[in-house]
Structure formats: C-alpha cells, structure tokens
C-alpha cells in the first residue's frame, strides 16, 4: 500500500473514532441537560403549588377578618335594638341584622370551601416537594457519574486529536484537504478498497482499465491517488483483501 494511502486510511480510522466519540459526548451532555431541565420543571411546579396555597391562605385570612368585623357590627346593632322604641325603626333594624347574618353565613360557607381546598392542596405540595428532593438526589448522583464519563471521553478525544495531528503532518496538504472534503460529503467514509472490481464505498463496478491502473500503481509503488468515478471516494487496492483476477 502506498504510504500516502496508508496514512489516509489511518487518518480515516482516527476520524471515524473521533466522530463516534463526539456523538457520544453530545449525547451524554444532552442527558445531563435533560435531567437538569426536569429538576427545573419540577421546581416550577412546586413553586406554583406553593403560590396557590399562599393565595388561598391570604384569602382565608381576609375572609376571617371580614367575618369578625361584620359580627362586631351585628353586635352593635343588637345593642341599638334594645334602645329603639319606634316600631318601624325596630323592624328595619331587625331586617338589617337578618340580612347581615345571611351575608355572614355565606362568608362562612366560603371559608369552609377554602379550608377544604387547603386541605387538598397541602398534601399535594408535600408530595411534589418530596418527589423533587428524591429527584434532585438521583440527578445529583447521575450527573456526577455522567460528568465523569464526559471527562474520560474528552480525554480520549484529545488523544485522538493528537494522533490525528501527527498523521496530518506526514500527509500531503492538498491530498489531506481533498480527503476532508470527501469525508464530510460522503458520510465519514472517504477512503475505500476496491474488491472484485467494485468500490466498497458505493458498491458500483469500476471500469476494468481503471482497476488495472490502480492495481499496477500499487504493485509498482507509484503512489498515485485514484478516485471512484461514481462516488468520488479515494480508492485503493490491496492484495490481501483484493482479488487479483477481478481487480
Ligand atoms: Zn464509489
């Protein structure tokens, strides 16, 4: 195998490894982000429930205060009732007291409804908070595990990049650029063998005269770079895996 082709094949191996690891890294980071996002979501949910309870309690306090004030007014009117001698005035006052009592009993009903709501809401909040704490615990453990995986993978990527740099230093610059363009365009496969006269990248047959040229270039160690006329990938031939009869 010509040296440049061998280097290209080695470069491709590193690049494919890098591509896989970078995909893995991306996925791990997404997993971490998803967990952080879930915690934030649950926190918002707990916050909303807490706010709802605060509102109910504020309303409850306001109603109790109003009730007390109204009851004081009723008491006052009852005192006045004892002093009124005029029959009409007496009836009017009694009527007034009755209406106020009626209004108060509506307020009392409202208070009961509020208390029932609070009784329902409070355990729900407690449940959400307990779930949130458990989730935070789990996420804490998992994210630190994932972050360790990320760190290990980042180190591997760095080593692969260093290896890549070394290969690239020995490669012809134009050839390297050509390889990179093909690698990007052809789904991470830029350098392929020909086997039985067929490109192993696109699985199309190469013209026989081209196969002969590629084979003799290998045998005479010309180091010429050939590309598949169908997919444009860099093709090479190797006796260990190629078939002499067809190639
Ligand atoms: Zn091809």
């Amino acid at each position: 195998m010509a040296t440049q082709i061998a280097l290209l094949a080695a470069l491709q191996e590193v690049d494919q490894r890098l591509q896989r690891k970078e995909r893995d890294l991306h996925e791990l980071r997404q997993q971490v982000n998803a967990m952080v996002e879930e915690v934030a979501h649950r926190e918002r949910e707990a916050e909303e429930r807490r706010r709802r309870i605060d509102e109910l309690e504020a309303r409850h306090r306001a109603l109790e205060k109003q009730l007390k004030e109204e009851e004081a007014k009723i008491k006052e009117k009852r005192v006045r009732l004892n002093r009124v001698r005029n029959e009409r005035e007496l009836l009017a006052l009694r009527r007034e007291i009755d209406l106020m009592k009626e209004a108060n009993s509506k307020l009392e009903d409202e208070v009961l409804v509020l208390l029932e709501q609070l009784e329902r809401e409070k355990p729900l909040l407690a449940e959400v908070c307990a779930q949130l704490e458990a989730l935070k615990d789990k996420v804490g453990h998992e994210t630190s595990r994932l972050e360790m995986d990320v760190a290990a993978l980042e180190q591997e990527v760095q080593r692969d990049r260093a290896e890549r740099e070394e290969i690239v230093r020995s490669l012809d610059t134009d050839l390297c650029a050509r390889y990179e363009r093909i690698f990007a365009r052809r789904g991470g496969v830029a350098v392929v063998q020909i086997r039985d006269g067929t490109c192993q990248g696109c699985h199309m047959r190469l013209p026989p005269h081209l196969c002969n040229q590629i084979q003799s270039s290998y045998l005479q160690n010309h180091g010429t770079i050939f590309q598949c006329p169908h997919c444009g990938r860099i093709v090479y031939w190797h006796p260990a895996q190629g078939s002499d009869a067809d190639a």
Side-chain angles (χ1 to χ4, degrees):
M1 211 194 285
T3 312
Q4 290 289 297
I5 279 287
L7 284 172
L8 278 180
L11 182 60
Q12 174 165 278
E13 212 172 284
V14 176
D15 278 346
Q16 287 174 344
R17 216 155 59 212
L18 268 168
Q19 216 174 36
R20 273 196 304 275
K21 283 173 189 168
E22 265 154 14
R23 251 199 309 265
D24 287 352
L25 263 177
H26 179 71
E27 206 169 290
L28 285 175
R29 290 195 185 109
Q30 271 188 329
Q31 280 179 33
V32 173
N33 287 346
M35 283 195 275
V36 169
E37 184 46 52
E38 199 191 338
V39 170
H41 171 77
R42 288 298 180 87
E43 266 170 350
R44 282 195 297 274
E45 193 189 335
E47 194 43 54
E48 213 153 283
R49 289 200 173 278
R50 205 169 285 129
R51 220 188 47 228
R52 166 128 184 86
I53 287 175
D54 286 349
E55 275 170 17
L56 289 172
E57 278 176 339
R59 176 85 186 124
H60 180 226
R61 279 193 300 276
L63 280 179
E64 291 286 10
K65 186 168 170 259
Q66 196 184 345
L67 258 175
K68 253 188 205 138
E69 283 165 5
E70 293 302 312
E71 269 158 14
K73 279 184 206 159
I74 290 172
K75 216 169 155 188
E76 232 172 74
K77 287 195 194 292
R78 280 216 177 96
V79 172
R80 259 177 61 201
L81 209 57
N82 295 329
R83 296 195 210 110
V84 173
R85 295 289 168 253
N86 178 314
E87 189 67 20
R88 250 184 73 197
E89 211 180 310
L90 198 66
L91 277 173
L93 199 53
R94 274 195 185 128
R95 173 90 187 116
E96 217 179 310
I97 289 171
D98 283 347
L99 283 175
M100 285 172 87
K101 276 162 84 178
E102 211 179 293
N104 264 11
S105 96
K106 273 185 191 144
L107 283 180
E108 276 162 358
D109 287 347
E110 207 181 320
V111 167
L112 280 180
V113 170
L114 271 175
L115 287 175
E116 275 168 16
Q117 271 177 307
L118 276 167
E119 239 171 79
R120 273 197 309 272
E121 292 285 340
K122 278 180 175 172
L124 286 177
L125 173 64
E127 201 184 310
V128 169
C129 286
Q131 280 172 355
L132 180 61
E133 283 316 303
L135 182 69
K136 274 181 177 169
D137 230 42
K138 190 182 129 209
V139 165
H141 283 115
E142 298 230 334
T143 46
S144 56
R145 186 180 60 80
L146 285 173
E147 270 155 15
M148 259 158 48
D149 290 350
V150 166
L153 212 50
E154 273 169 348
Q155 260 185 1
E156 281 180 35
V157 164
Q158 248 173 13
R159 274 200 298 276
D160 286 347
R161 287 221 177 101
E163 194 183 326
R164 184 183 203 280
E165 283 305 303
E166 214 171 303
I167 298 171
V168 167
R169 264 200 294 278
S170 317
L171 257 178
D172 174 74
T173 315
D174 288 342
L175 179 60
C176 187
R178 204 196 315 175
Y179 155 85
E180 279 171 356
R181 278 196 303 275
I182 302 169
F183 188 87
R185 224 177 29 229
R186 290 290 174 196
V189 182
V191 188
V192 291
Q193 281 194 19
I194 30 173
R195 238 176 266 166
D196 302 328
T198 303
C199 164
Q200 293 305 295
C202 64
H203 303 287
M204 301 263 286
R205 261 191 176 279
L206 267 64
H209 71 90
L210 182 60
C211 284
N212 289 336
Q213 278 178 21
I214 296 169
Q215 194 173 351
S216 63
S217 168
Y218 168 79
L219 294 171
Q220 290 161 28
N221 208 7
H222 284 164
T224 316
I225 298 298
F226 295 94
Q227 282 178 256
C228 168
H230 307 294
C231 67
R233 290 187 176 93
I234 295 164
V235 282
Y236 67 94
W237 179 83
H238 196 268
Q241 282 106 2
S243 153
D244 287 32
D246 278 337

